[in-house]
Amino acid sequence: MKKFLIYIGLIIIGVVIIYAMNKSNHTSSTMKDSTTQEKYLVYDEHIGNYLSKFVTNDNIEMMEYTELPSLEDTLINIRMINKFGTYDPKKLDQHTLKKMIIDEMDSLEENEMGLYKKYDLLYSVDNFCKEVALDAMDFIRYDQVIQKDIERVAGFLENDQKNLVMYLQILSKIVLLNKEKEELHVIVDMVETISHMPYDHYTNQEQMMIGLSLIDIKRMLGIRDIELEESYQQQFIDKVNDYDIDGHINIGDMVILNKGLHLFSDFVIEDEKISSIMDELSLMLTSKNDFMAFVKIQFYEMAHVINYMNRGIYEWVRDIPCNEGYIYFKPVDMIPTFRSLYVFLRSIELNDMKLMDFTHHANHYLNNILNVYNQSMLSNGDIYYAYMLTNYIDNEKLNELVERSIKNTIDNVGDMTITKNNVYDHFMLYKALEMKEHKSRKKVFDKLIHFFEHVLHDGHDHETLFMQTMRLNTHACAHKKVIQEDIPSYEEQVLNYKGDSEIFLLHIYTEIYHHSQTKISDTSKEKILHKLKTFKVAGGYSRTKEAKHVNLFATQLGQEIQYMIRSN
């Protein structure tokens, strides 16, 4: 009996150890209840759709648009909207588009990837012009260097064959773009040599791409290799029948499907599996606000071959933001940060959506961030957003990181140097300490006020205006009141400010009223909301008036301003 009890005890200890190990590897979190006053919240369906498309099965994947134009997105997005009949050629900014093409060509490096990008661009421009009834020669010139480029590919092949798929892509586009096929006799010899090479050291996916590319090039050169075609035709049909997206887009598989459909569409065009694949790909694309251009190109070209039409795709591509000349902005994935997670959750809350619906996704996203900060301190700017997250998520590692970072900052407050470049981070740090009612918050307050007193001067430049509003905001946070005459004195400057971060400045200014619990006049409310309205776009708010596309951070600020006005 004694041995049995010892045995049971060991099992219990083992279970406890395993539980502790699992807990240390993945910190569990629980979502806290919202403290925002619900009666002042308003649901916006467009903002709701925009935010929801960041959510995957078990994570949050955020993207945003840069202020930079994207050539590849511009070309494919116009092709797509043209297919659906909503493109107006009179609005196209051809001058800017031509400059973008020239700049892109001039930026290409003299190497394998540079050559691949060159012909990928030429191919895209050529297809674009054909479909929207423009003359490609108004945008590109390529005839005079084709022979030289063929020789370069031959040299690449002779020295290194590991990038054979890329070389065949280049050759395929050279043949497609060159009208004088008799000048391409060198390529005939090259593809015959490649046809007899062993492919065992390539992956199955690469072997499929090589075979389909060889068939494509030979056909364009007037050569039919029946044995090769029959072999890869059957492999392609098998690929279609076995194809399973399973919630993920595999770029290599999309390339194979695209190439295979162009070569063997007659054998599968009536196949219900193809329609099923296209429906599922459509669902994947429209589940996001945007997708990388390469994926959109593969999908569009597949749809073009089988004449696939989908109302959801039409509405999706119609809503992708561009300027008035059909120049599209570059979408990029956002790096997970405390700021991005807080802004996302705060936007969810301000849009009167249920935070609890996003608990699992927020936990996964937060753990990815915490793994990066496992052994380091937070910056002063990050402390604010990490602390704000503790109001939403009860996570032990997050709480420890915030406390440790605040202690480190306060312990070294004597060495703290505030400059014009970092004053905003210190301003946000102080706001966090004030909300936390930290016992040492006055030390940071004194540092900030000392900085403002020594740097601010009478003037109306943008830099002074930003710092004056931060100074008033700091006093409002500290004393819950400011000299009320001071607030309106800056209203005209804030409302008339033109430049970067207008919505950012408008938020800091409106927050002064909120923190100081000062009543905003109806006239001032109307003026603030009128200026805010100039940033409203489909899905939320834009960062600038020029780049009319939704921005997550600007959207949260816009929602925050609306909330503060309604609750005042």
Side-chain angles (χ1 to χ4, degrees), residues 82-236:
N82 181 63
K83 179 178 176 64
F84 293 113
T86 56
Y87 165 68
D88 183 355
K90 294 178 182 178
K91 293 183 179 179
L92 178 64
D93 185 351
Q94 293 192 33
H95 175 76
T96 298
L97 180 60
K98 185 172 183 177
K99 184 178 185 306
M100 289 166 66
I101 294 170
I102 292 171
D103 290 346
E104 183 71 18
M105 291 289 284
D106 290 344
S107 70
L108 298 176
E109 297 180 7
E110 290 289 324
N111 54 23
E112 298 173 6
M113 184 54 69
L115 191 61
Y116 171 81
K117 289 181 178 179
K118 171 185 175 180
Y119 280 96
D120 190 59
L121 173 59
L122 293 175
Y123 169 78
S124 295
V125 173
D126 190 68
N127 278 333
F128 166 81
C129 290
K130 285 176 183 175
E131 293 178 24
V132 300
L134 291 172
D135 186 352
M137 300 307 288
D138 289 340
F139 295 91
I140 52 176
R141 292 284 189 276
Y142 49 82
D143 297 325
Q144 63 270 36
V145 294
I146 281 181
Q147 289 301 323
K148 179 183 174 183
D149 289 339
I150 295 172
E151 292 172 6
R152 290 177 65 194
V153 176
F156 296 150
L157 271 169
E158 188 174 340
N159 295 324
D160 186 2
Q161 296 171 4
K162 68 180 180 181
N163 291 325
L164 180 58
V165 173
M166 181 195 295
Y167 304 149
L168 286 171
Q169 296 269 358
I170 297 170
L171 291 176
S172 175
K173 288 171 175 131
I174 287 176
V175 175
L176 183 69
L177 292 167
N178 194 28
K179 311 302 184 221
E180 306 298 329
K181 303 300 183 192
E182 62 271 12
E183 297 179 5
L184 303 177
H185 58 88
V186 178
I187 294 182
V188 176
D189 295 335
M190 289 169 64
V191 295
E192 285 302 324
T193 301
I194 295 169
S195 296
H196 294 92
M197 287 170 45
Y199 305 144
D200 296 346
H201 56 291
Y202 295 103
T203 65
N204 291 335
Q205 197 174 69
E206 288 172 332
Q207 290 181 37
M208 190 77 171
M209 291 180 187
I210 291 167
L212 294 176
S213 295
L214 285 171
I215 294 170
D216 187 32
I217 295 170
K218 286 185 175 185
R219 282 191 185 181
M220 287 190 289
L221 292 171
I223 303 169
R224 297 300 296 265
D225 189 332
I226 303 302
E227 183 179 352
L228 186 68
E229 290 191 22
E230 288 179 349
S231 171
Y232 280 95
Q233 175 186 308
Q234 188 56 51
Q235 289 184 52
F236 175 67

Side-chain angles (χ1 to χ4, degrees), residues 36-42 352 563 566-567:
T36 304
Q37 299 181 66
E38 292 186 10
K39 64 180 179 179
Y40 298 118
L41 300 178
V42 176
D352 200 18
Y563 175 77
R566 285 193 293 264
S567 61

